[in-house]
Each structure stands twice: as C-alpha cells, then as structure tokens.
Amino acid sequence: MSQSDKNSSTQNKTNEFDWDSFRSFMPTSFGKQQVKKDISKEFEKTKREDNVIGDNKKAKVESIEGKVKTMEGKKTENQSDSEDEEDEEDSIEDYAEPPVSHEIKLVDHHRTVSALTLDPSGTRLITGGYDYDVKFWDFAGMNKSFKPFRTVQPCGEHQIHDLHYSMSGDSFLVISGSARAKIFDRDGLEKCEYAKGDPYIRDLKHTDGHIGALTSGAWHPTNKDLFSTSSQDGSIRIWNVEQKRRQKQTIVYKSRERGGRSSCTAISYSPDSKLLAGAYQDGSLQFWGTSGPYLRPNVSIPDAHMKTTETSSILFSKNNQTVVTRGGDDTVKLWDLRNAKKPVKVAYNLDIVNPEANIIFSPDERLILTGTACPKGQGFGQLVMLDRDTLETKHSINVTQSSVVKVLWHPRINQIITGSSDGVVSVFYSPIHSSRGAKLCVVKEAKKRAIDDYEINRPIITPHALPMFKDDEPRTTKRKIEKMRKDPIASYRPDLPVNGPGKGGRVNMNQQQAVIKSFAKDTTRDEDPREALLKYADLAEKEPLWVSNEYTTQAYIR
C-alpha cells in the first residue's frame, strides 16, 4: 500500500470519529453550574383549587404556563437593561382581573391578625395581631418555608390595632390598645413614643395626649412629618413626628349622646389632604377641614350607621368627594359629600365581628374590597369584591374557616393580602399579572444543610485537659433534680412570710391582722377524740332514730 493510501485511510477514520460524544465529556464552562428550574411548575403548586371550574382547567393551565415561560424568556433577553427600566416594567397597570389565581399562606401568628402594611416598594410586609406581636416578612429574602425574619413585641401586652408605613418607607406607625402611639424604624427599633394625657382632666383639649386606648391612625398624605390618631376617649389628635411631649392639634367631637362623648373608631385623610374624616360610635361621620380651627366639622352625617356599633373603616376615593364606610351593622355604604344626607348605595349582609375590619379600593378604583366574618370552623370567611358604582358583588373568594379581618391590595406588585382571625396571612397573586412579591419566595428552595453542619448536645469529656480548659463534670439526673429543688425560682417556691418591718415591697403582718387571724384559729387538733364522741351520747339516748345500741357509752367502753 502506498503512502498516499495510508494517509487517506487515516483521514477517513478521523472524519468518522464521534466528536459530539467527545464534547459531552469536556467542561463547557468553569465554576458551579446553575440548575435550571421550571418556574411554571413551582407556581402551579400554589394554584387555588376553586379558581378554575369545569373542563377549561387544563386549557387555562397550559395557557398560563406558556405565558410564564414567555415572560421568563423576555427577562433573560433584557438582563442588560438598566435598573430604572426594570422598575418601570415592575409597575403593573392592568388591574382588570383580580390577581387571585394563586395563593400562599404565611402562618406564624397564633391569634387574630388585625393589622397589615406593605412598604411603598412592596418588598417588606409587616403584620400585627391580638398576640401582641409584630412580625416582619421579606419577600426577597424569604424561601418556601414562609417564615418571618424578625418578631418584636412593641407595646407590651397590648393588642395591635393598626400599622402604617410612612410615605418614604423608612418608618412605620404602631396603633395598639394603649394610649401611646409609637413609631419604629424599618428594622423594628423604636424611634419615638408619644405622650399620654392626664385622665383627671375633663376637658380633652387641655391634656397632652390620649387618655383612652387608641383605635386608628393615619399618616398625612403630603406632609411626612405629620400623622393623626384616634382614641376611645372621643378625640382626634394631630402629631408632629419630632414633638413627642404634646400633640400639635386636638379635635374634640361633642356627641349628642348622654355624657357628650363618643368613641372615635376610624379616621382617614382625603388624598388632597384638605379633609380629615372620623367615624364615631354614636353612628355619625364627621369631616373636618385640615386648615383649622376645628371648632365644628365641615360636613356632618348623623346616623350614618347604627348607634352603639363600631364603624371600623372610612376611606376616600381619588376624587376627594366619594367616601365608602364599613359599618358594624354589617353594611358597606357609599357616600357623596356634595349631597351627604343619605348614602348613594348600600350593601347589606356583610358580616363583621372584629372592630379592625377595613375596606379598600382596588388600584383602579373599579372594585371595593372587604372581608366577612363567620363562626370559627363553621363556613368560610370571604374576600368580597363589590362594584364601585352599584355595590353588587362581583367576586367572592373563600379564604379560611375564620373571619377575614384585614385586606390589602398593593398597586406596585398587584397582589392582595388578607389577615384572618385564625392567625393566617393569605397572599393572593397571579403569575401573569403580578410582579415580584410572593413570586420571589415561591420559587426559592429552602437552604439545605451541609454534611458538616451539625451540632452535638452531648457532653464532651476531656480527662487530660488542663484545669482551666476542663468543663464541669456532667451531672446525673438525680443531682440535677436536687439542685433545681434548692433553687427557689426553678422550683417555684412560694414566698416565705416576712419577718420584721418588711422588704422588697412586702410588709409584715400587723397587730390587727394577727388578732383577726386568731379568731379563725382551727383547734381541732387540740381536742380529745373520745370526748368528741361522748358528747353525743345524751342526744343518742333521746333520739335513737339514727344511732343504734352499738354506739352507746357502755358499748364504747367495752
């Protein structure tokens, strides 16, 4: 065979070599390879079961998966865009369809969730409840475990009634069952606590704070240094953030009811900040001009709701003339301040139990949202969406088997959040119409523990260690019990009687207490049992109805 034939045969073998199989064994890039996830499947796990009914379920699911994949493809193509363009894309303007197709539940409260607030960017959620706790949830840092990253108890053993983020999102207002309002920073550290009034001063204008439990609060819509609070003492107080010793203005409403006072249950500013509205327990609505002098309201609506019920929420629309209220008489009423003699529309049979139940507009103000109550474990608390013009029910969603108290619809992320009386916070979202928020934590897996990430609770015995590094020898169970028994705190030993003049806030027994105690002295142990029996011998002889001969004196002596 010639040399040219050998070269041609070698070239043919080279061409027949399977390069594709060879490339599969070679690394394509350096570093840790990121596993690609199908986000649509993660979203499908949180889909509401009662959202789609009938044969259209499969078709709708497939359309949603296709749209989600299309959106993810667009994100990968536009990764080089600037942050400003991303923020513009995140702002959702399509609110025609409520984002309720998917749902996640944040379960950490063990009593009623009575307060919800989201910062302006929609990344951090704060919840408060009847368990006195305020919990912080970060959608960007949370994973599928859905746990808060911080829990604080801002007002001691006082229930949380309301929470409000400031316009800038750097602080939030806490309204609790105490008479003092508090402001905390974004991380949950207390910045300021405001003054409490003197309960012995009758005129509420002459005291420097509330004297009753707070019921509601609101930030000024244009001035970040002002906020207002309402209280059960019937007053509304306007505060300056920098002045904690005394309020800036005081609004006192003189009720026609007996005593002249009525609890103010809810307040709200108009969007143009020209009116401050208050709802009172005598059923009236009062609208005060924010320019002063607060002697009488600009608009007054008596008997707007049933007397002695708590109107839990009052809210202005963007036109500054339409007002919607949530009454304790199970109604929602729509008012026009240009003709406020009677409501424009009324919706009935919307059950309410908690005085913190609120009412909100959808971001485009086409819908009015509120929650309904139900007995615990009997039926479902519902999220009801009413038409803004007719107050007809457009959508009704079962949330949990307990009352729905708070409702929140954030316009930036287009997600609805509810708080229920069983301690569950429900976040409703749509993979198509919503942005960020719950979508960030649904697709994030919980952190897996490494092999070397372990802790040993057993005692480590090092017999040959130096004395300075040697731990105390582990005690047996018997010795631990004996030590705890000697500890008065661990054994819950009751306080010993005080001898002498007294100490630690406890006083000694005085002479009068000693004499009174001697009156009730028990002398049973000093009595002879034989004499105690024989003193009934004469009675047994005279009335032998219940006593036989065995119990006579002679029989006893034998």
Side-chain angles (χ1 to χ4, degrees), residues 32 52 77 176 191 197-198 227 231 326 366 473 503 529 547:
K32 186 178 180 180
V52 183
E77 292 175 1
S176 66
K191 294 177 65 176
D198 189 346
F227 69 92
S231 172
R326 180 73 160 102
R366 295 180 184 177
E473 295 181 1
K503 59 182 178 180
V547 182

Side-chain angles (χ1 to χ4, degrees), residues 167-240:
M167 292 187 297
S168 59
D170 60 343
S171 60
F172 63 94
L173 174 66
V174 178
I175 303 297
S176 66
S178 68
R180 296 174 178 268
K182 290 186 177 183
I183 289 182
F184 288 75
D185 64 6
R186 183 179 176 85
D187 297 325
L189 300 177
E190 183 177 328
K191 294 177 65 176
C192 189
E193 181 181 15
Y194 294 88
K196 178 184 177 181
D198 189 346
Y200 297 101
I201 297 178
R202 176 66 182 173
D203 191 350
L204 295 177
K205 289 186 177 180
H206 294 156
T207 183
D208 297 338
H210 289 290
I211 61 173
L214 300 180
T215 56
S216 182
W219 287 94
H220 195 280
T222 57
N223 190 344
K224 65 179 183 179
D225 294 330
L226 297 180
F227 69 92
S228 299
T229 56
S230 62
S231 172
Q232 292 181 357
D233 59 13
S235 66
I236 299 175
R237 299 179 188 270
I238 302 173
W239 302 82
N240 190 312

Side-chain angles (χ1 to χ4, degrees), residues 87-100:
D87 293 339
E88 291 177 2
E89 290 176 0
D90 292 336
S91 60
I92 304 297
E93 297 181 358
D94 184 13
Y95 305 107
E97 183 179 352
V100 293

Side-chain angles (χ1 to χ4, degrees), residues 144-160:
K144 286 184 178 180
S145 61
F146 303 135
K147 293 298 181 182
F149 70 90
R150 182 167 296 138
T151 300
V152 297
Q153 198 173 90
C155 302
E157 295 184 356
H158 289 286
Q159 296 177 353
I160 307 300

Side-chain angles (χ1 to χ4, degrees), residues 17-31:
F17 186 77
D18 190 359
W19 290 100
D20 293 334
S21 300
F22 181 72
R23 288 192 190 96
S24 63
F25 289 99
M26 302 299 292
T28 57
S29 61
F30 296 97

Side-chain angles (χ1 to χ4, degrees), residues 118-125 138-140 186 410 412-413 415 435-438 440:
L118 261 171
D119 64 345
S121 63
T123 58
R124 182 165 294 185
L125 172 68
D138 190 359
F139 287 125
R186 183 179 176 85
H410 199 280
R412 186 175 179 84
I413 62 176
Q415 296 177 20
S435 172
R436 298 191 177 184
L440 298 176

